[in-house]
Amino acid sequence: MDKFIVKGGCHLNGEVSISGAKNAALAIIPAVILCDEPCRIENVPNISDVRLIGKILCEMGANVTRVSKNVLDIDARNIKYPVAVSNSVRGMRASYYLLGALLGKFHKASVAMPGGCNFGVRPIDQHLKGFAAMGGKSQTLNGAIVEVSSDRKLHGAHIYLDVVSVGATMNIMLAAVKAEGLTVIENAAKEPHIVDLANFLNSMGANIRGAGTDVIKVRGVNYLKGVTYSIIPDQIEAGTYMAAAAATRGKVLVKNVIPKHLDSITAKLSEMGVEITEYDEAVLVDATQGNLRVCNIKTMPHPGFPTDCQPQFAALLATVDGTSTIKESVWDNRYQYVGELVRMGANITVEGRIAIIEGGELLNSAPVKATDLRAGAALIIAALCADGDTEISNIEYIERGYEEVVEKFRSLGADIRKKFDPETVVVTA
Ligand code: UD1
């Protein structure tokens, strides 16, 4: 298997440009299924999860053309059947958006149960509850395929989400865009990518109001026209480079961001004594002045501190003298990476949903394994601060969500390289 080799001990310095948001792209690309004309999507991150959703759409009959590294042309008019059950579909959590998009177009959908990063049980009951309220009955076949269908066009409904779910909010929006009448989603999630999906759908002619608040109203329309749309910058990728800059006591200008989306991350870094300067589309993270302070973090739905930045901040806090705590309140089981950080000399104990970090010990290099995407990012950060060469395996997790991660870190002065496993190299004639 390919690995990253990271030599620790540098202070990151320079500028890094943030790519388009993975979690917005993974909803917006399937949303094109609902469009009655071709679309051009810009600022698409060139990461393996996005390549996979593109492949899935192609398997279903769509034409997906990569015009340039970050621009896709998608024509989904040739998708004739509401079925997505290939192995590719199982390879990714976000393939659940195919349910909402296919249901919205065909009022039927058969989609293989999603895979993706594993942080405990990941139910989709709230998605299905929303579809049911709109007339879509669901069943699971052999525990492997979810089928949702309605005899007629879906109808609008009043849906209260029992948990604040990003996926359920976006999936119900997708199903509601062409439904008959008004759908109201209460206790909706408010993440930036929800607003981005709503903006994309509205630019095609949808009628969605309230995205970014906890009540979203979707009035169904019959036709969606083709558009050119640019995806927002990735809040979590930005937060990762911000944490890495702080952990290495470096100074990094993180460019192509929407600073407002980074408020909770900026607040925690400022609390720790990192100097942050906000510009219109960039933030400067300066930790060169030395001693950082401990802090306590609780993950929450937006605008709270994002769970997807939790592991990276654990790695950062492991470098700060004193006791910090993290409370994970979104996922049941998101501390699998802790064992790997402990192998690198971090002093972290986990009690239920709380991680207690006794920071300040010099981290040491070790062979470690990414247990999921953001866990992998945390290992890179820890490795940058460790003494010696750290070998990180399972990097395919990291490549799901970070565009040109080696190049970007190297441009900031990091000594990181990808070691290819000759066994996995495919030679073509
Ligand atoms: C998305 C992100 C993921 C991020 C998460 C929270 C994508 C592809 N993934 O995941 O990186 O960590 O948001 O910001 O965008 N829940 C239920 N029933 C449901 C749905 C969710 O109980 O039907 C629970 C989950 O188990 C979890 C919580 O709600 O405890 C939040 O999950 P949700 O916001 O739905 O996460 P995802 O959309 O899957």
Side-chain angles (χ1 to χ4, degrees):
M1 301 299 270
D2 298 341
K3 292 176 177 162
F4 287 153
I5 312 294
V6 185
K7 186 189 271 305
C10 76
H11 303 286
L12 294 183
N13 197 289
E15 299 182 359
V16 64
S17 187
I18 297 306
S19 301
K22 166 177 107 45
N23 289 346
L26 293 180
I28 285 173
I29 293 169
V32 178
I33 291 174
L34 289 158
C35 188
D36 297 288
E37 298 173 12
C39 282
R40 171 164 289 188
I41 313 295
E42 300 176 339
N43 204 29
V44 179
N46 187 12
I47 51 177
S48 63
D49 262 8
V50 162
R51 291 191 289 272
L52 190 57
I53 191 73
K55 180 175 170 214
I56 292 168
L57 257 62
C58 289
E59 288 170 356
M60 294 167 69
N63 289 328
V64 181
T65 313
R66 186 171 290 279
V67 182
S68 62
K69 188 175 66 144
N70 300 110
V71 178
L72 294 182
D73 278 352
I74 307 176
D75 183 350
R77 289 174 299 179
N78 282 338
I79 296 181
K80 301 290 181 222
Y81 305 103
V83 179
V85 293
S86 69
N87 281 337
S88 317
V89 180
R90 278 176 236 284
M92 189 174 51
R93 175 75 184 160
S95 50
Y96 54 41
Y97 292 127
L98 295 166
L99 277 174
L102 290 171
L103 203 53
K105 178 160 177 166
F106 297 98
H107 53 84
K108 282 186 179 42
S110 296
V111 176
M113 290 289 270
C117 285
N118 173 23
F119 8 93
V121 184
R122 297 185 71 170
I124 58 165
D125 58 299
Q126 298 301 309
H127 307 227
L128 300 180
K129 171 181 161 174
F131 299 151
M134 299 165 76
K137 294 196 188 76
S138 63
Q139 56 172 336
T140 304
L141 306 178
N142 304 324
I145 293 171
V146 184
E147 265 193 9
V148 188
S149 68
S150 163
D151 300 337
R152 48 187 285 274
K153 202 172 173 183
L154 296 186
H155 54 78
H158 205 110
I159 299 154
Y160 176 85
L161 296 179
D162 300 313
V163 288
V164 179
S165 160
V166 174
T169 302
M170 303 227 266
N171 230 345
I172 295 168
M173 270 165 54
L174 291 171
V177 159
K178 287 186 157 180
E180 205 79 61
L182 179 70
T183 300
V184 180
I185 311 170
E186 297 224 44
N187 200 25
K190 296 181 273 201
E191 268 63 7
H193 32 294
I194 288 171
V195 180
D196 207 32
L197 175 64
N199 286 343
F200 171 59
L201 293 167
N202 281 342
S203 71
M204 295 195 292
N207 183 349
I208 303 173
R209 300 285 171 263
T213 75
D214 53 12
V215 182
I216 299 178
K217 294 182 179 167
V218 186
R219 193 168 286 284
V221 297
N222 287 326
Y223 192 87
L224 294 178
K225 65 176 193 300
V227 291
T228 296
Y229 188 83
S230 184
I231 289 175
I232 53 165
D234 197 305
Q235 171 205 25
I236 305 301
E237 189 197 13
T240 301
Y241 286 100
M242 290 167 79
T248 59
R249 309 300 187 263
K251 184 172 176 181
V252 173
L253 183 69
V254 183
K255 297 192 305 186
N256 184 33
V257 296
I258 299 174
K260 182 81 197 139
H261 293 171
L262 303 172
D263 277 353
S264 59
I265 295 163
T266 301
K268 283 294 151 187
L269 289 173
S270 300
E271 212 177 298
M272 293 170 68
V274 178
E275 228 170 81
I276 307 278
T277 314
E278 283 186 10
Y279 301 95
D280 285 350
E281 293 182 358
V283 285
L284 178 65
V285 180
D286 184 354
T288 50
Q289 69 286 0
N291 281 352
L292 297 189
R293 296 186 288 275
V294 293
C295 80
N296 300 322
I297 293 176
K298 181 178 177 191
T299 67
M300 302 218 283
H302 191 78
F305 188 90
T307 171
D308 287 356
C309 272
Q310 183 258 96
Q312 300 90 312
F313 269 68
L316 160 60
L317 290 169
T319 70
V320 178
D321 269 333
T323 310
S324 299
T325 62
I326 293 181
K327 180 167 186 194
E328 172 56 54
S329 64
V330 177
W331 296 107
D332 291 339
N333 185 9
R334 203 171 188 170
Y335 288 123
Q336 285 133 320
Y337 67 88
V338 164
E340 303 301 303
L341 288 184
V342 168
R343 286 161 73 87
M344 298 179 69
N347 183 352
I348 307 178
T349 45
V350 175
E351 291 170 13
R353 284 175 175 257
I354 296 178
I356 301 155
I357 303 164
E358 301 290 348
E361 297 295 322
L362 181 63
L363 299 176
N364 54 259
S365 55
V368 286
K369 239 190 251 164
T371 50
D372 65 58
L373 164 59
R374 307 303 170 185
L379 293 179
I380 294 180
I381 293 173
L384 290 171
C385 305
D387 187 21
D389 284 5
T390 298
E391 198 175 87
I392 304 174
S393 56
N394 282 9
I395 60 167
E396 56 283 3
Y397 274 122
I398 303 172
E399 292 177 334
R400 294 179 83 123
Y402 288 94
E403 183 172 47
E404 293 172 353
V405 65
V406 168
E407 291 79 356
K408 288 189 186 184
F409 272 114
R410 285 184 75 83
S411 76
L412 295 173
D415 188 341
I416 173 171
R417 66 190 165 85
K418 185 166 172 175
K419 183 174 150 196
F420 292 94
D421 179 350
E423 302 270 306
T424 63
V425 173
V426 180
V427 180
T428 49

